[in-house]
Amino acid sequence: FDPADPRKTREGLIKVSKRFFIGGFFLLPWLWLVNYIYMRSALQKPNCPEEAKRYVRYSLIGFFVMLVPLIIWIILYQVKRTSWGYFGDAITLYIPPGQ
């Protein structure tokens, strides 16, 4: 129990969820997932402000929208890296032994 927990007040809920939501746009999309996980328990309460719910909902949507291109890039990179020649080697931090 933490009496200074910002999730205890309506204004605190909105403030924290908005900060996490905006932070995700600064190339930190994992903050959107953290926003959902952190605010999940507060969102289930009936007195949770609709604005906080909206920020958390959009954060979760944003996380999955950013996750899809990341997964596509990882699969593409793993499958095609060797066929890219010099460029494939130049963007690789560690070249595994083998081909």
Side-chain angles (χ1 to χ4, degrees):
F1 175 71
D2 183 11
D5 189 357
R7 293 178 292 176
K8 301 289 183 201
T9 65
R10 292 177 59 85
E11 296 79 23
L13 279 171
I14 295 170
K15 187 176 180 181
V16 171
S17 62
K18 185 176 181 178
R19 283 185 180 173
F20 276 116
F21 177 71
I22 293 171
F25 286 105
F26 292 100
L27 300 177
L28 301 169
W30 54 269
L31 273 179
W32 288 328
L33 182 62
V34 170
N35 190 14
Y36 173 74
I37 292 170
Y38 181 69
M39 302 297 280
R40 183 176 43 195
S41 63
L43 293 176
Q44 295 172 351
K45 296 178 182 172
N47 62 348
C48 181
E50 192 61 37
E51 189 176 357
K53 287 181 182 181
R54 187 173 58 244
Y55 283 125
V56 174
R57 191 178 315 121
Y58 289 155
S59 292
L60 194 59
I61 291 168
F63 172 74
F64 283 112
V65 166
M66 293 302 290
L67 186 65
V68 169
L70 178 64
I71 290 172
I72 290 171
W73 166 249
I74 290 170
I75 292 170
L76 182 70
Y77 177 79
Q78 292 292 324
V79 172
K80 298 286 187 177
R81 182 192 66 83
T82 56
S83 67
W84 290 343
Y86 176 76
F87 176 72
D89 292 341
I91 63 172
T92 303
L93 295 176
Y94 172 75
I95 299 175
Q99 294 181 344

